[in-house]
Amino acid sequence: MNEKRGQLKKWIAECDNIVFFGGAGVSTESGIPDFRSENGIFAAVNEYGYPPERILSHSFFVSHPEVFFQYYKKNLLYPDAKPNDCHKALAKLEQMGKLKAVVTQNIDNLHQKGGSQKVLELHGTLYRNYCMKCGKKFDLDYVTKDEGITRCDACGGIVRPDVVLYEEGLPQDTLEEAVERIIQAEMLIVGGTSLNVYPAAGLLQYFRGKHLVLINKSATDMDKKADLRIAENIGDVFREVVLEENQE
């Protein structure tokens, strides 16, 4: 185990109030591309004639629902993706009583699939869907039946994913709890995020604990403020530091 991983292992052993804040890089090792890298979703060939950020905006959803649903069902849904070692390690730390919450920008439900119970989804999830007319709730299987606009089987209204689109605000209750968890944390581990997406990235300013750890392959604007910076695959780090070190 290298020196940085050894330091992370030591701090985890010493801390009983850890919060994890993660982004798209947590899920790339499960085969879900991120958004803005050279191989990301936004870099893919776009046959719709609009920038992806525009397609995934509230105003575009309202004005062009057909294009929105075609794009999002083709590019954002990965129902067969499996939790990787990062997801599994975080669930393990929660079971050990050390990790108090996962604050995620991801919408893929992989933290829950990996076993985590306390997951604060800042941008919502594709696994919850609801009718905009009558409020009936639907799971992902219902949405993936066809490629077009998903409609409610009760009233015919449009069924939209319970995610935060561009131009929409973050869920206030989730945001407030995330702030509270970060304020109370003894250690904040930030992983798989460039920290360029606001207001989510701004949550780091609330941390007042002992150890700020950044695990991300590329540099971020917060690197100089971190107590420990690990530029490696997050799944590899957590596998060695948590999973392998805690096997019976």
Side-chain angles (χ1 to χ4, degrees), residues 121-134:
E121 297 167 314
L122 295 175
H123 295 156
T125 175
L126 294 170
Y127 282 72
R128 290 192 307 267
N129 300 269
Y130 64 92
C131 174
M132 298 174 66
K133 186 175 180 180
C134 73

Side-chain angles (χ1 to χ4, degrees), residues 47-185:
E47 67 269 33
Y48 300 95
Y50 303 92
E53 293 94 333
R54 175 72 179 132
I55 295 175
L56 297 176
S57 68
H58 174 82
S59 57
F60 191 92
F61 168 73
V62 173
S63 61
H64 299 79
E66 301 90 352
V67 178
F68 171 86
F69 275 95
Q70 290 172 7
Y71 181 87
Y72 121 77
K73 290 183 180 183
K74 180 178 180 180
N75 293 280
L76 298 186
L77 299 182
Y78 291 84
D80 297 326
K82 300 290 190 287
N84 59 52
D85 286 334
C86 176
H87 300 106
K88 295 173 184 176
L90 293 172
K92 177 71 174 179
L93 291 176
E94 183 183 61
Q95 293 165 11
M96 294 167 63
K98 289 185 169 293
L99 186 75
K100 303 307 180 185
V102 170
V103 180
T104 181
Q105 301 173 80
N106 297 336
I107 56 177
D108 52 39
N109 208 50
L110 286 181
H111 284 294
Q112 290 90 333
K113 289 182 178 179
S116 291
Q117 300 297 314
K118 190 59 178 179
V119 182
L120 301 176
E121 297 167 314
L122 295 175
H123 295 156
T125 175
L126 294 170
Y127 282 72
R128 290 192 307 267
N129 300 269
Y130 64 92
C131 174
M132 298 174 66
K133 186 175 180 180
C134 73
K136 184 175 180 180
K137 295 177 173 58
F138 296 91
D139 60 17
L140 187 63
D141 289 338
Y142 183 85
V143 173
T144 55
K145 290 179 180 178
D146 56 59
E147 297 179 354
I149 298 174
T150 302
R151 293 198 174 274
C152 177
D153 58 6
C155 74
I158 293 179
V159 175
R160 66 159 284 177
D162 191 7
V163 298
V164 178
L165 302 176
Y166 288 103
E167 303 169 352
E168 295 179 339
L170 302 187
Q172 193 62 31
D173 56 344
T174 303
L175 186 60
E176 289 175 358
E177 184 172 358
V179 169
E180 189 64 27
R181 294 281 181 174
I182 291 173
I183 288 174
Q184 296 173 355

